[in-house]
Amino acid sequence: MSTASPSDAPRLLAFAGSLRSGSYNRRLIPVLAEGARAAGARITQIELRDYPLPIYDGDIEAEGLPENARRLQALMAEHDGLLISTPEYNGSMPALVKNTLDWISRPIGDGRSGTSLFADKVAGIVSASPGPLGGLRSLLVLRDALAKLGLIVVPQQVAVGQAGEKLLDYGQLGDERAREAVHRVGAAVVRHLQVYNPSAAGARA
C-alpha cells in the first residue's frame, strides 16, 4: 500500500455510467475506487444523477453551457484521472457516459478546448452486466472514446459477468478473484500517474 500523504496523493474522479437505483455498475464503482485508494489515491465519487444534462445540442451550447456541464468541467480540472464503471447497452457504452464526456469536452471559460481538461490524465475502466461477458464490448468503445479525448487508459480492465449473483450491494463484490482484479485496475491508474504525470499530485496539493 502506498504511504503517500493526503496532500500529495493523486486525485481521481469516479462515477458509474448508470442512473438506475439498483445498477450493478453503481455497486461496482466503490470496489474500483477502493483499489485506487489502497494504492494511495484520493477519490471523489459522484453520481451523474446529481448533474443532469440535456442531450448535447449546439443550439443549447450557443445559449450558454449548462451549469452542470460547468460543474463537471471544474471537477475534471481538479482531478488527475478518472475511474468509470459502465454498463453495456446494445454492445456499446450508454448514451449517459458519451453525453457526459461530450459536454465536459466543450470549450471552457477561458476559451480553451474542454479536451485540455483530459490531456495527460489517466483512466481506469470496468463494467458489470448480468450476461456472461460482463459488458466487455462497452469497455472497448469507452477505451477508444477516452483515448480520443487525450486520456491514458490503463491496459488493465475487468468485465464482471453474472453481476446479479456477484454484486449484491454497493461496494460488495462476492467473487474474490474478480474483486482483486478490479482493485488492480484502480492501483494501475495510480501507478501510471506516477510514470506519466508525476507532478500532477503536487500541482493539486
Side-chain angles (χ1 to χ4, degrees):
M1 181 181 295
S2 170
T3 57
S5 66
S7 63
D8 61 13
R11 297 188 62 187
L12 301 176
L13 183 64
F15 62 83
S18 177
L19 303 177
R20 187 173 67 88
S21 59
S23 163
Y24 299 126
N25 287 278
R26 290 179 66 206
R27 296 179 186 183
L28 182 59
I29 192 67
V31 182
L32 179 57
E34 184 178 56
R37 189 178 292 110
R42 287 184 291 164
I43 310 298
T44 303
Q45 186 175 325
I46 63 171
E47 294 280 358
L48 292 184
R49 64 167 63 247
D50 295 329
Y51 301 84
L53 288 164
I55 294 295
Y56 176 75
D57 182 335
D59 290 338
I60 294 175
E61 182 185 3
E63 295 174 359
L65 208 64
E67 178 59 27
N68 283 331
R70 294 287 186 205
R71 292 172 64 199
L72 288 168
Q73 286 182 330
L75 281 169
M76 194 68 231
E78 294 169 356
H79 291 79
D80 304 309
L82 288 174
L83 301 175
I84 302 176
S85 183
T86 179
E88 179 184 297
Y89 292 172
N90 298 321
S92 185
M93 64 178 173
L96 174 65
V97 176
K98 180 66 164 62
N99 195 54
T100 298
L101 296 173
D102 286 344
W103 275 116
I104 295 175
S105 71
R106 304 316 301 156
I108 54 183
D110 60 9
R112 287 181 297 148
S113 169
T115 57
S116 65
L117 299 172
F118 299 101
D120 298 322
K121 297 185 178 182
V122 179
I125 57 176
V126 296
S127 64
S129 166
L133 295 180
L136 178 62
R137 293 175 296 180
S138 68
L139 293 179
L140 302 177
V141 179
L142 178 58
R143 175 176 295 277
D144 184 56
L146 293 173
K148 286 176 179 174
L149 288 170
L151 284 145
I152 299 161
V153 187
V154 299
Q156 296 85 349
Q157 63 180 32
V158 177
V160 179
Q162 284 85 43
E165 303 169 16
K166 299 174 182 177
L167 285 157
L168 302 180
D169 207 342
Y170 294 91
Q172 295 184 15
L173 178 53
D175 184 316
E176 180 66 24
R177 181 178 295 181
R179 182 168 64 252
E180 291 178 356
V182 172
H183 282 174
R184 285 195 293 270
V185 176
V189 173
V190 177
R191 189 167 61 251
H192 279 70
L193 273 170
Q194 292 168 346
V195 174
Y196 290 109
N197 200 355
S199 63
R204 302 291 185 272

